[in-house]
Amino acid sequence: MSTTLSEHAVANFVRDWSTAEERGDHTALDGLLADDFVGVGPRGFIRSREQWLERYRSKTVRNSSFEVSDLRIRILGGTAVVVAAQTQESVNGDADASGAFRFTLIVTGEAGRLRLAGLHLSPRAAAASG
């Protein structure tokens, strides 16, 4: 069963996902990530669904803020591609993981609900001068 995608539904999904990320809520994320989810981090590392969730289960990653802005949503049949800006105040283990990023999310209508199939993060480029 597929789910009809709309910009409004996808924007709400992104809000739910970002809230779960900010809180480190691995239970909520478990319901939001597709079974075959793949996440690519800002330094190029690849994490499976279980690896993504384990960062929060183990409390290795802790966020004190996680804000999403500048949502650009494209609906392509049963898939949405979301490009947005994101800032976070975070630690990964003992290392500061705070920063400003751009991300691309791939959201699918899976099993009658929206699920996050993929995520790719990259550091946000500095504003060009001149």
Side-chain angles (χ1 to χ4, degrees), residues 87-100:
T87 57
Q88 66 187 43
E89 296 292 327
S90 305
V91 293
N92 186 346
D94 294 328
D96 183 10
S98 302

Side-chain angles (χ1 to χ4, degrees), residues 29-106:
L29 286 168
D30 186 50
L32 297 172
L33 302 183
D35 292 342
D36 58 353
F37 167 85
V38 174
V40 179
R43 295 192 177 123
F45 54 82
I46 298 173
R47 291 213 165 100
S48 68
R49 180 182 195 280
E50 283 307 309
Q51 290 168 323
W52 197 267
L53 294 172
E54 183 56 29
R55 302 169 322 133
Y56 292 122
R57 281 188 202 118
S58 67
K59 302 200 185 305
T60 300
V61 172
R62 296 172 312 282
N63 301 312
S64 57
S65 73
F66 190 97
E67 295 184 25
V68 172
S69 61
D70 192 24
L71 279 176
R72 300 171 191 200
I73 300 169
R74 293 176 48 215
I75 306 294
L76 306 167
T79 302
V81 176
V82 180
V83 176
Q86 184 250 325
T87 57
Q88 66 187 43
E89 296 292 327
S90 305
V91 293
N92 186 346
D94 294 328
D96 183 10
S98 302
F101 305 94
R102 283 280 177 191
F103 66 72
T104 302
L105 300 178
I106 301 167

